[in-house]
């Protein structure tokens, strides 16, 4: 086992001053029963921790690092911007450039507002949908994550048709009763909710490909049916592409599946690794946003020069070289096939889901299509596998219910090493 003594000592000190020792819960490695490694630096597909251990990284900062870490062009863009001042709180040309880039890549976005995180994007999108429709309720899907705003920290208590039960103390009952939840990939459940609350539902929000219960693709026609139901019932259709945008295709999942959201939320890749989010969509709806309209939303650091510089460079690189996506597909399918061979050779009770460069190995033998089936995974075995992989220099997300990400910087050798490590780790896990 690798020496991680410096990480351990930093974690012990962090526990005294930062809740749980981390600034975002999953970083604590709690569900995999060990203390986290502290990262010192990263380059391309690799991470190095403070004890000098090297890892092949499949977390990619939870999605943004599609071109690998410390891409020279993005680093240069940030450095150049910093010299001219890190924030003005005033309008800048870069913000226009970013807006023009986004609207050129995603034609369903006619106007866009920049914010500082995915959470801000979805939170604002919901407020906007409520302002636009004059209605209060929203529909979300069980197991979909849309950031940590109150309205989204809800899952169904029992089945799809109940009022939401808060997942976190501090979320009021009033808020949770306005959030209705349905089973992912179950358009009938959505229809029933709409019938039960006629003219009360402002918005439906969905991860077009779920990443936040592990990777779960939409069934054919599911997203199209949601679009139709929203159109028929005057509901704002919000497609949360914080993870999938610029990831599964340049134009995101909406390009891949040919769907037309009313509002799209973005984050992760759009910031090139800096804290950025955005929401945008139809001009008619976006014109409600202050100061064009009455729906208030603001931000001291929104459209920050460093963040815009990094994001613009990232989007330009992706736009210029669309073969990035075929390379990502080719590498990701090679990894998937390699692991599939291991699963079949050793008759392991595992199943895989993948869309492009997002994928998850689930520790269950049955197909995973929603929260129920994802939860059937053997979290204990996953935890053993995670630890075995980490000790072999493969950095996976420390949770069964997360997607892994391939980057353009991953090499053939990285993939071979990962398949080899996966075979050894799985044999240990199931011995
Ligand atoms: C990560 C994520 C968010 C939240 O974004 P943050 O930047 O972490 O606030 C929202 N929606 C989806 C689909 C995400 O994957």
């Amino acid at each position: 086992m690798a020496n991680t003594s410096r990480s351990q000592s930093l974690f012990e000190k962090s526990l005294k001053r930062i809740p749980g020792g981390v600034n975002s819960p999953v970083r604590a490695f709690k569900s995999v029963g060990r203390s986290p490694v502290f990262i010192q630096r990263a380059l391309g597909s690799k991470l190095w921790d403070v004890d000098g251990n090297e890892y092949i990284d499949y977390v990619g900062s939870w999605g943004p690092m599609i071109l690998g870490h410390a891409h020279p062009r993005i680093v240069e863009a940030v450095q150049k911007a910093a010299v001219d001042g890190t924030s003005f709180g005033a309008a800048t040309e870069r913000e226009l450039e970013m807006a023009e880039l986004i609207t050129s890549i995603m034609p369903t976005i006619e106007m866009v507002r920049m914010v500082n995180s995915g959470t801000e994007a979805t939170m604002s999108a919901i407020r906007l949908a409520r302002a636009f429709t004059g209605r209060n309720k929203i529909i979300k899907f069980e197991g979909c994550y849309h950031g940590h705003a109150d309205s989204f920290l809800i899952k169904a208590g029992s089945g799809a048709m109940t009022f939401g039960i808060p997942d976190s103390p501090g979320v009021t009952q009033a808020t949770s009763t306005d959030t209705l939840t349905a089973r992912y990939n179950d358009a009938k459940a959505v229809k029933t909710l709409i019938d039960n609350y006629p003219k009360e539902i402002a918005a439906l929000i969905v991860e077009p490909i779920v990443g936040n219960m592990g990777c779960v693709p939409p069934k054919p026609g599911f997203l199209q049916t949601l679009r139709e139901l929203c159109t028929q019932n005057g509901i704002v259709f919000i497609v949360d592409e914080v993870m999938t945008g610029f990831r599964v295709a340049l134009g995101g999942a909406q390009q891949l599946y040919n769907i037309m959201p009313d509002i799209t939320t973005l984050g992760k890749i759009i910031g090139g690794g800096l804290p950025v989010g955005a929401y945008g969509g139809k001009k008619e709806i976006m014109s409600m946003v202050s100061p064009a309209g009455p729906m208030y939303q603001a931000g001291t650091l929104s459209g920050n020069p460093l963040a815009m510089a990094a994001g613009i460079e990232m989007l330009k690189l992706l736009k210029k070289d669309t073969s990035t996506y075929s390379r990502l597909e080719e590498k990701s399918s090679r990894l998937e096939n390699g692991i599939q061979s291991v699963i079949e050779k050793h008759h392991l009770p595992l199943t895989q889901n993948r869309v492009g460069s997002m994928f998850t190995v689930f520790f269950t033998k049955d197909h995973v299509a929603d929260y129920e089936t994802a939860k059937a995974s053997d979290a204990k075995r996953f935890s053993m596998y995670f630890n075995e992989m980490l000790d072999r220099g493969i950095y996976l997300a420390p949770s069964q219910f997360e997607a892994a990400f391939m980057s353009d910087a991953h090499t053939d050798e990285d993939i071979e090493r990962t398949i080899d490590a996966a075979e050894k780790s799985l044999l240990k896990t199931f011995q």
Side-chain angles (χ1 to χ4, degrees):
M1 209 174 124
N3 174 21
T4 56
S5 56
R6 191 161 152 69
S7 280
Q8 279 168 35
S9 137
L10 289 173
F11 188 55
E12 275 157 33
K13 287 182 196 156
S14 297
L15 282 169
K16 295 202 184 90
R17 295 296 176 204
I18 306 172
V22 290
N23 282 311
S24 194
V26 74
R27 293 181 199 167
F29 283 32
K30 227 173 164 174
S31 73
V32 290
R34 83 192 263 165
S35 66
V37 290
F38 278 54
I39 302 303
Q40 189 158 54
R41 67 188 181 93
L43 184 67
S45 62
K46 304 279 174 23
L47 293 173
W48 288 270
D49 70 15
V50 290
D51 290 286
N53 300 303
E54 180 183 294
Y55 306 96
I56 301 172
D57 179 26
Y58 289 99
V59 177
S61 187
W62 305 91
M65 312 318 297
I66 191 167
L67 296 179
H69 293 280
H71 189 285
R73 294 283 296 274
I74 294 173
V75 172
E76 193 193 331
V78 174
Q79 282 172 336
K80 272 198 174 146
V83 173
D84 288 335
T86 53
S87 181
F88 320 119
T92 61
E93 194 169 345
R94 282 200 187 90
E95 291 164 273
L96 171 63
E97 192 180 356
M98 178 60 114
E100 287 179 341
L101 256 174
I102 294 170
T103 52
S104 75
I105 291 171
M106 292 185 172
T108 66
I109 302 182
E110 293 171 351
M111 295 182 101
V112 62
R113 170 60 63 84
M114 301 309 297
V115 291
N116 302 292
S117 68
T119 294
E120 271 189 61
T122 54
M123 182 184 83
S124 308
I126 288 292
R127 185 185 306 136
L128 177 56
R130 285 175 168 149
F132 183 74
T133 57
R135 301 173 179 178
N136 289 337
K137 292 192 188 302
I138 63 165
I139 296 177
K140 77 174 282 287
F141 293 93
E142 223 182 317
C144 283
Y145 180 67
H146 304 291
H148 64 85
D150 286 1
S151 305
F152 303 119
L153 294 182
I154 315 287
K155 62 176 183 185
S158 55
M161 267 67 74
T162 52
F163 276 124
I165 306 292
D167 257 357
S168 167
V171 176
T172 66
Q173 194 60 41
T175 299
S176 66
T177 52
D178 279 336
T179 300
L180 308 169
T181 58
R183 188 166 63 157
Y184 193 76
N185 271 327
D186 184 354
K188 271 210 195 92
V190 175
K191 174 90 172 60
T192 309
L193 285 175
I194 293 172
D195 290 344
N196 287 351
Y197 300 95
K199 299 209 174 357
E200 285 187 70
I201 297 162
L204 180 148
I205 185 166
V206 66
E207 282 186 73
I209 300 157
V210 191
N212 289 291
M213 53 186 164
C215 177
V216 178
K219 285 188 179 149
F222 174 61
L223 297 170
Q224 278 73 14
T225 307
L226 297 183
R227 170 69 275 183
E228 281 160 28
L229 285 170
C230 286
T231 304
Q232 286 158 11
N233 294 281
I235 296 168
V236 176
F237 184 40
I238 304 174
V239 175
D240 183 356
E241 297 231 45
V242 169
M243 187 182 287
T244 53
F246 322 105
R247 162 62 64 182
V248 294
L250 180 63
Q254 53 192 275
Q255 178 188 323
L256 195 63
Y257 299 114
N258 193 24
I259 44 164
M260 306 273 282
D262 296 316
I263 300 177
T264 300
T265 51
L266 297 167
K268 299 195 169 124
I269 290 175
I270 205 178
L274 275 83
V276 183
Y279 64 103
K282 287 186 174 153
K283 192 173 170 192
E284 183 194 5
I285 302 176
M286 292 304 291
S287 299
M288 297 279 300
V289 179
S290 183
M295 195 285 295
Y296 196 71
Q297 185 272 309
T300 301
L301 294 173
S302 295
N304 172 269
L306 301 195
M308 292 305 96
I312 288 167
E313 197 58 35
M314 171 70 96
L315 296 192
K316 274 191 185 162
L317 287 165
L318 292 172
K319 202 177 167 184
K320 204 170 79 189
D321 182 8
T322 43
S323 64
T324 307
Y325 294 96
S326 41
R327 281 195 301 278
L328 285 169
E329 169 62 30
E330 193 268 321
K331 282 191 267 193
S332 308
S333 83
R334 192 132 44 87
L335 180 57
E336 180 190 28
N337 292 339
I339 293 178
Q340 195 58 36
S341 306
V342 172
I343 292 172
E344 282 163 21
K345 182 168 143 202
H346 302 290
H347 308 288
L348 301 172
L350 305 178
T351 187
Q352 299 191 85
N353 278 347
R354 181 178 72 83
V355 179
S357 55
M358 289 171 61
F359 48 94
T360 300
V361 179
F362 287 99
F363 280 66
T364 170
K365 63 182 186 342
D366 300 318
H367 178 61
V368 173
D370 52 36
Y371 190 60
E372 266 319 282
T373 45
K375 286 258 278 200
S377 301
D378 187 339
K380 230 168 142 180
R381 284 225 202 261
F382 169 80
S383 159
M384 289 163 71
Y385 173 66
F386 169 87
N387 281 285
E388 291 288 338
M389 288 293 267
L390 194 71
D391 287 336
R392 290 184 171 83
I394 312 293
Y395 190 85
L396 302 174
S399 162
Q400 168 73 90
F401 307 108
E402 299 288 353
F405 299 103
M406 185 71 72
S407 85
D408 201 32
H410 284 77
T411 62
D412 292 351
E413 196 209 331
D414 289 337
I415 294 167
E416 293 315 313
R417 271 178 56 195
T418 306
I419 295 168
D420 183 57
E423 178 160 33
K424 290 182 176 127
S425 299
L426 286 169
L427 288 179
K428 274 274 214 163
T429 301
F430 285 98
Q431 83 185 356

